[in-house]
Amino acid sequence: MGSLQVFLDRFGPSSQAESGWLQNLFTFVHQHLSPCAGGPAHCAAVDQSAAGEPICGPAHSINQSASGASCDQGVCELSVCVVEKIQEQSCLSSSRPVSYRPLSVSELLSQQHLACVSNLSWSTNQHRAWAGEAELSLPGQRALPRVSLLLIGWLREGRGGEWRLADGSGSVRCELTCPSPLWMNRLVFLPHWNYIPHDASGRDQERGHLELIGSPELLRPRAEQGLAAGPGGAGLDGALSVREAAGVLRNRVRGQRVSVVGQVGSVRPLLEVAGSSFFFFCLVEDEQTVPVLVKDSNLWWSQCVCVGLRVCVTALRVCVLRGWRGNNVLCVTDRSQIHTGYTQHHTHTLKQTLEHTLSGTTHSQPHTHSEESEPPPPSPDDHLQMDQEEAEPEEDPVQSGVRIKRSRVISYQGTVTEVVSEGAGLYVLDRKVGLCLAYQPPGRRKLRPGDQVELHHVHFLYRPCPDLPPSMLCCCLGSSLRVTAFSRVGGASCDRSCPGDGVLPRLLLQNNRGVDQYLWTCHLASQLAHSLVPAGPHHPPLPQCVCLLSWKLSETLWTPRGPGPRDIYSEMLDQPHSCPLDQYQVDPCVPQLLSVSELLQSLSSLLPPGGSGLSRSQVNSALSWSCRTLTSDPGTGDGLRPRPLLLVGVLQLPSERSEFRQTLQLRDATAAVGCVATETREDGGQRAAFNTAWIGSLVCVRRFAMVTERFLQSEFPSCQHLDQDRFISHRSGRVYLQFSLDHLVILCPSVTMVTHLRMKGAEPGSDEEESSAMKKRRPDEAVSSSVTMTTLPEGGASLPCVTMVIKVESKGGVAWRNTGMGRDGEAGLELGFSATALLIGPVVSWGRDPRNEPMMEREAGPEREEKVLLVFSGVAARWFPVLQPSSVYRLTALNTQDPSVLIGSSVPGQRGAELHSDSSLQVRSDWRFHTLTRPLLLLHTWTQTPPPPVLTVSQVLDCRSEVVSFQGRISERVGLMARKGRAGHAHTGRHAHSGRHTHPGRHTPR
């Protein structure tokens, strides 16, 4: 192998380590970079194939008949050039960096699984200082670990404007801050780079990307002289100014090609519409602006043009942009080139630089931006100072306290310090300024903490959402975002507040909404993720349904207010600028979502307001039992919070371990709370909820009251000692909610609720209809999985069963009953109740559970007055909240075909001289009740029973009936130990609608 020896002789005597390092480098160049092994032609084909483009030929012609000696000579010269560049960049002046080894692109993608950084010019102390600064600026983040790897390859154009580093083994995407167009199609050595193997969620299809943190070193072997394209198009000498180009736009000449020089005033994001990708940038001069359309093979320019940079673009033609009021724009052609750092006073200097660069006779860094060509820094962040006069507040005539403001367009530069929600496009800059990117198409590279960014023509909003930073920057299609320095720390942490695939931005694109509404929806999604999805290290990624739920809920709660469909061309090109971000709404009373656990922590102080002047006996008497009611809406009474509250959870029957069995439960992933639910009667009054279809439905409670009861046995000397727990001998309490079903929004209906809504025939535009529509979405958008926490398993639908239709006539209260057999086989008391029901028909066998399907003819028997006493105890007592008098239910016994299980025993009971012979039936724990509303019943089985009269307390005292219904205000509560002098007296009361027996329940010490 003579060429290898020639190569080694070029560097004179070397140590064994250096000699081995030189041999490995020569072998790498021969295998991955030389024309003999495929070289640039092979790499161009590999890159085009990776980008989904047809392989149409090599980047430049290679003489296939070249002799082996000529090929070896090219490899030798290229290897020498690589060693020289490595030696120039190395921090070791007297020896070669033998610890660094060359790595092919395929090896990088397959072997490097951790984010890393490589910088050939660093010493160990420099790297430690660099890492220390990074971790100090971003507490809690770890700096990228250092690796000793060398990357060499060709910079090529990839799919959709990507830059890619390619060698004989493959290609990898490259991100650059502001590259020179002269780097494209050049063989380069990368002395400084970061490698990010995948995005935070691990779903990056490209597996990883490079971030160039320094300029590449251009290699110039003889075989590479033809890689960079020479000047063409309309030429540099005849370049027009922006003012002259504006005249050309007004007077279009078919077939004319022009070159234009000017300063980049704005850069629009890269869009893909109907399979075609393009972007705009505008050249400005004084008050003149010329838009330039870039598409097809020139999309890689998007990383080269920066606001404030002076450029010259050649071979432009005038074209009519359809959809933009017929206005003309300059459009690039196949012969167009872009030259940065261009000034009209230095035309010949630039041409000489280009010629020298292409001939390989310039310095290793032929193109560096001069002071004149560097884009100016954006305006300082004093733009963010609040100016209420410029905000132009306007009162909303519909909602009091709501203001409509106009945003301001500013420039800003800062550092990403927090990723609020990558999927929703929300970030925090400099720990104080929010950033929203949802109104722009998602970029290839996701922002990471530590990225330094530069924003131009960005909208500044002040307090658009009370749950996010007061100062918000929002990018539209007229804004530009450029990363000026890549982060020094690793990837963003796993984002649970919104899926990384951008569900909310896609919904925003389909249904244009105000920015204030979108920001609140994003925060709502993060709150729902906390309250509905169990937290844990092994829990799967956040499902899309949480974002769908937040979007549906915001649609329900917010008044439709949108600017209409977006006109992308007008948004990018119109002067003056107009977009959906021009106006936004400021509402200090926007609802706030709480989890159940957060709600339960919102307990008030021990004493009621005004109790600081009570005596010792009065203090302890007031604390023995206290009750306080707080509302979710501060506008309707004593509020829990300054803003209206929302609760989202699943309605369930009380569990066996529930604190009290006589109420439903609202449960989320954090906790459960008891609920007293009512619904509106036909006459407008309220009655206890009875429909079992609500069980298992995911709902949002829009308005509720939280009732807090406390029971204390204390000996406080005075009010000043209330913070000392040693004076409390026993304490307990309970919290429950009161709400009407009219104030619920169904987010995900249960199976029986779907049937109920279908038979009910929801009115157009109602919440019920929207819920049914949401349930019928595509399977990939189904609201299910972790948010469906039903108490009743859905698998019972396919099991055989027997049923019986009954009508409840009366119901007793929940009380401790001696069932004869308690837990663990021991005698004891269990909570239970009984109900008397009228049998509508016989026991019917089914092959599957009919649930609350419409009643069949065979379920209705002849008219008769046969009744049954249903006895509920233990787990079966959980049905107490939904069994109400005058309501019809289908009682189901699953996994059996034996009708006798639902036939009660006719054991007579004796009470005085009167004999009761109604059969009794012990309800088992696995039996189910399904409400049959009027539309589900057969016509002849439905009879309307007038409700019993509700008496006042004075009427009850004069009444001689044994069973009455009354209502009144509780003014005093006597404890169970009242006979021993431990009675507690209430100084505050609550409304109690009788007709149901209330029981204090069991209390656990806090």
Side-chain angles (χ1 to χ4, degrees):
M1 193 172 182
S3 58
L4 174 59
Q5 189 60 45
V6 173
F7 168 71
L8 295 176
D9 293 342
R10 293 283 297 269
F11 298 98
S14 303
S15 64
Q16 183 177 359
E18 291 183 344
S19 178
W21 181 79
L22 291 172
Q23 293 182 31
N24 291 336
L25 188 61
F26 182 88
T27 303
F28 175 84
V29 172
H30 183 272
Q31 292 179 349
H32 299 288
L33 303 177
S34 71
C36 304
H42 172 73
C43 296
V46 170
D47 187 62
Q48 291 174 0
S49 177
E53 302 173 0
I55 300 177
C56 57
H60 69 291
S61 62
I62 299 177
N63 188 356
Q64 298 294 336
S65 62
S67 64
S70 176
C71 179
D72 290 344
Q73 182 181 0
V75 171
C76 179
E77 293 184 0
L78 177 57
S79 301
V80 171
C81 181
V82 170
V83 173
E84 291 176 349
K85 296 302 180 183
I86 293 176
Q87 193 68 45
E88 291 175 4
Q89 292 291 328
S90 174
C91 62
L92 304 176
S93 58
S94 59
S95 61
R96 297 181 178 87
V98 295
S99 60
Y100 280 78
R101 66 181 181 92
L103 192 71
S104 67
V105 171
S106 62
E107 291 173 331
L108 177 71
L109 296 175
S110 61
Q111 299 177 10
Q112 188 63 39
H113 303 296
L114 298 177
C116 59
V117 60
S118 178
N119 198 322
L120 184 61
S121 61
W122 284 344
S123 65
T124 302
N125 291 334
Q126 288 175 321
H127 172 71
R128 289 175 180 173
W130 176 89
E133 292 177 0
E135 296 177 355
L136 184 63
S137 61
L138 294 170
Q141 299 282 352
R142 297 295 301 273
L144 292 172
R146 185 183 183 185
V147 294
S148 300
L149 300 174
L150 302 174
L151 291 178
I152 308 171
W154 287 268
L155 287 177
R156 303 288 191 193
E157 176 194 358
R159 180 192 304 111
E162 292 179 348
W163 285 60
R164 303 187 72 88
L165 180 73
D167 63 10
S169 65
S171 66
V172 61
R173 178 166 59 92
C174 290
E175 295 293 337
L176 308 95
T177 54
C178 191
S180 167
L182 302 179
W183 298 350
M184 179 58 69
N185 292 328
R186 293 300 304 271
L187 180 63
V188 297
F189 158 61
L190 306 183
H192 323 288
W193 49 269
N194 299 334
Y195 176 67
I196 309 299
H198 51 71
D199 64 358
S201 62
R203 296 190 295 267
D204 191 352
Q205 298 299 322
E206 294 294 336
R207 293 185 294 175
H209 67 272
L210 287 172
E211 297 173 347
L212 272 62
I213 56 178
S215 298
E217 290 288 331
L218 304 185
L219 304 177
R220 42 186 175 84
R222 292 189 180 91
E224 280 297 297
Q225 291 181 8
L227 280 178
L236 299 175
D237 291 327
L240 305 178
S241 66
V242 175
R243 184 177 299 276
E244 294 170 331
V248 173
L249 285 179
R250 290 189 296 267
N251 303 283
R252 180 188 179 194
V253 178
R254 186 176 299 275
Q256 183 181 15
R257 299 293 184 266
V258 297
S259 298
V260 182
V261 61
Q263 187 179 45
V264 178
S266 60
V267 182
R268 309 313 187 195
L270 194 150
L271 298 179
E272 181 177 352
V273 179
S276 176
S277 299
F278 61 91
F279 77 95
F280 288 92
F281 68 90
C282 295
L283 298 179
V284 296
E285 179 182 330
D286 298 332
E287 298 298 326
Q288 293 289 335
T289 301
V290 173
V292 179
L293 171 63
V294 184
K295 58 181 183 177
D296 300 331
S297 60
N298 299 103
L299 291 176
W300 56 272
W301 291 8
S302 61
Q303 296 193 52
C304 298
V305 289
C306 309
V307 175
L309 191 65
R310 195 166 184 83
V311 300
C312 177
V313 188
T314 64
L316 295 172
R317 67 183 179 91
V318 180
C319 63
V320 177
L321 183 61
R322 296 179 181 178
W324 185 47
R325 306 172 185 175
N327 290 339
N328 295 340
V329 298
L330 293 177
C331 182
V332 299
T333 62
D334 294 338
R335 302 190 51 158
S336 296
Q337 290 184 333
I338 185 169
H339 307 285
T340 58
Y342 177 85
T343 62
Q344 287 181 312
H345 302 289
H346 299 88
T347 302
H348 299 287
T349 304
L350 179 59
K351 291 178 65 176
Q352 293 174 1
T353 303
L354 291 173
E355 294 170 355
H356 285 240
T357 300
L358 297 172
S359 62
T361 59
T362 61
H363 188 262
S364 59
Q365 297 184 7
H367 180 84
T368 56
H369 298 300
S370 63
E371 293 296 328
E372 293 79 14
S373 65
E374 278 289 338
S379 303
D381 59 1
D382 58 2
H383 283 287
L384 300 180
Q385 296 177 356
M386 176 60 179
D387 189 340
Q388 296 183 354
E389 294 299 327
E390 292 187 19
E392 299 181 8
E394 300 177 6
E395 292 293 336
D396 191 329
V398 179
Q399 301 178 356
S400 177
V402 177
R403 293 186 297 171
I404 302 298
K405 290 186 175 182
R406 294 193 64 86
S407 63
R408 287 185 291 162
V409 177
I410 66 170
S411 296
Y412 185 85
Q413 83 176 8
T415 302
V416 178
T417 53
E418 181 184 353
V419 178
V420 179
S421 175
E422 180 182 288
L426 295 181
Y427 304 86
V428 174
L429 304 179
D430 303 327
R431 297 188 176 88
K432 61 180 180 180
V433 181
L435 175 63
C436 176
L437 303 179
Y439 286 80
Q440 280 193 346
R444 290 184 298 265
R445 179 188 179 275
K446 304 298 182 181
L447 294 180
R448 306 201 316 273
D451 284 338
Q452 296 181 24
V453 296
E454 186 177 285
L455 300 162
H456 291 276
H457 304 96
V458 62
H459 292 261
F460 168 62
L461 299 80
Y462 190 72
R463 296 191 183 280
C465 178
D467 301 300
L468 294 177
S471 299
M472 289 293 302
L473 300 177
C474 298
C475 293
C476 67
L477 295 182
S479 309
S480 64
L481 181 147
R482 183 171 72 95
V483 177
T484 58
F486 296 113
S487 173
R488 302 181 182 184
V489 299
S493 59
C494 185
D495 181 13
R496 285 179 54 86
S497 58
C498 184
D501 54 5
V503 176
L504 290 178
R506 288 206 304 270
L507 290 172
L508 178 65
L509 181 63
Q510 299 168 7
N511 309 276
N512 192 20
R513 308 189 68 192
V515 60
D516 49 293
Q517 298 177 0
Y518 177 78
L519 295 177
W520 185 82
T521 304
C522 294
H523 179 74
L524 181 64
S526 65
Q527 295 297 101
L528 288 175
H530 167 69
S531 62
L532 296 183
V533 181
H538 303 293
H539 196 270
L542 186 65
Q544 293 186 7
C545 61
V546 173
C547 292
L548 295 174
L549 286 175
S550 65
W551 189 269
K552 172 180 171 54
L553 187 55
S554 65
E555 285 182 330
T556 305
L557 299 178
W558 288 78
T559 303
R561 178 182 56 84
R566 297 173 68 179
D567 186 337
I568 60 173
Y569 298 115
S570 297
E571 189 172 330
M572 289 188 291
L573 301 176
D574 271 358
Q575 294 293 336
H577 175 70
S578 176
C579 76
L581 299 178
D582 287 339
Q583 289 188 345
Y584 63 100
Q585 179 175 288
V586 176
D587 185 2
C589 295
V590 65
Q592 178 183 6
L593 178 70
L594 288 185
S595 66
V596 175
S597 61
E598 291 172 332
L599 178 71
L600 296 179
Q601 294 171 3
S602 303
L603 301 179
S604 57
S605 60
L606 291 176
L607 282 178
S612 58
L614 300 178
S615 63
R616 172 177 179 176
S617 60
Q618 291 174 329
V619 168
N620 292 290
S621 177
L623 294 178
S624 61
W625 176 69
S626 61
C627 177
R628 189 176 184 188
T629 301
L630 300 175
T631 64
S632 61
D633 188 352
T636 59
D638 293 337
L640 286 161
R641 298 285 178 91
R643 291 161 51 190
L645 298 181
L646 302 174
L647 286 178
V648 173
V650 177
L651 285 176
Q652 294 182 331
L653 292 173
S655 63
E656 186 178 1
R657 297 182 179 181
S658 177
E659 186 178 355
F660 35 162
R661 305 287 180 84
Q662 63 270 37
T663 64
L664 291 172
Q665 284 188 335
L666 183 72
R667 177 178 294 276
D668 63 10
T670 64
V673 63
C675 304
V676 178
T678 62
E679 58 185 352
T680 305
R681 296 196 304 259
E682 289 78 2
D683 58 1
Q686 292 289 313
R687 66 181 176 188
F690 70 95
N691 199 332
T692 57
W694 288 96
I695 300 173
S697 295
L698 181 67
V699 299
C700 172
V701 188
R702 300 180 58 177
R703 187 180 302 173
F704 62 91
M706 186 178 77
V707 181
T708 305
E709 289 187 88
R710 298 175 185 270
F711 309 89
L712 264 72
Q713 295 178 10
S714 60
E715 295 293 338
F716 287 108
S718 65
C719 297
Q720 286 72 30
H721 298 80
L722 294 180
D723 57 343
Q724 302 180 25
D725 291 344
R726 60 190 180 92
F727 294 108
I728 300 177
S729 57
H730 176 75
R731 84 167 85 193
S732 61
R734 61 182 179 183
V735 179
Y736 58 93
L737 306 180
Q738 294 177 341
F739 56 79
S740 172
L741 298 181
D742 301 332
H743 298 147
L744 298 188
V745 177
I746 304 175
L747 299 178
C748 180
S750 63
V751 176
T752 53
M753 178 58 73
V754 172
T755 303
H756 168 69
L757 297 177
R758 183 177 68 247
M759 299 303 299
K760 180 181 178 182
E763 297 180 0
S766 64
D767 293 340
E768 290 85 355
E769 187 182 54
E770 293 175 2
S771 302
S772 300
M774 188 172 186
K775 187 67 179 181
K776 296 176 183 178
R777 289 186 177 185
R778 301 191 310 268
D780 60 328
E781 294 182 356
V783 182
S784 56
S785 67
S786 56
V787 297
T788 306
M789 301 170 287
T790 58
T791 54
L792 299 179
E794 300 295 341
S798 60
L799 296 177
C801 61
V802 291
T803 66
M804 179 174 60
V805 179
I806 62 173
K807 180 179 182 180
V808 175
E809 290 192 335
S810 63
K811 180 181 67 170
V814 176
W816 292 102
R817 298 176 182 269
N818 188 356
T819 58
M821 189 66 67
R823 298 178 181 177
D824 301 327
E826 298 180 359
L829 299 176
E830 282 189 320
L831 283 175
F833 72 98
S834 61
T836 302
L838 177 66
L839 301 181
I840 303 298
V843 179
V844 179
S845 298
W846 301 80
R848 63 175 184 85
D849 186 1
R851 302 184 190 275
N852 62 335
E853 292 291 336
M855 188 176 175
M856 308 290 291
E857 288 287 349
R858 58 175 178 158
E859 293 184 274
E863 296 184 5
R864 54 180 178 174
E865 290 294 329
E866 184 177 352
K867 300 181 180 180
V868 62
L869 179 67
L870 302 176
V871 180
F872 300 80
S873 60
V875 177
R878 62 181 181 163
W879 292 103
F880 180 86
V882 293
L883 296 181
Q884 302 298 337
S886 303
S887 300
V888 180
Y889 303 87
R890 179 182 280 131
L891 173 59
T892 304
L894 289 175
N895 204 20
T896 182
Q897 292 279 291
D898 184 9
S900 64
V901 299
L902 294 182
I903 300 177
S905 59
S906 302
V907 179
Q910 186 77 24
R911 182 182 179 187
E914 186 178 357
L915 183 66
H916 295 269
S917 58
D918 290 344
S919 60
S920 62
L921 182 63
Q922 182 72 39
V923 178
R924 300 180 185 177
S925 59
D926 60 341
W927 290 1
R928 302 179 183 178
F929 288 84
H930 294 287
T931 303
L932 298 181
T933 55
R934 180 178 177 181
L936 302 174
L937 297 175
L938 298 175
L939 184 61
H940 67 275
T941 60
W942 181 81
T943 57
Q944 187 173 8
T945 304
V950 179
L951 308 179
T952 64
V953 175
S954 60
Q955 290 174 334
V956 171
L957 296 177
D958 297 334
C959 182
R960 296 185 179 182
S961 301
E962 293 184 359
V963 180
V964 296
S965 297
F966 70 96
Q967 66 180 3
R969 180 183 295 274
I970 298 177
S971 59
E972 182 180 3
R973 186 180 189 278
V974 180
L976 297 177
M977 305 301 294
R979 297 180 182 178
K980 297 184 180 181
R982 303 185 199 177
H985 303 278
H987 296 276
T988 59
R990 61 180 173 90
H991 287 286
H993 299 278
S994 60
R996 64 178 179 88
H997 176 78
T998 58
H999 191 278
R1002 292 174 291 179
H1003 313 295
T1004 56
R1006 292 182 296 168

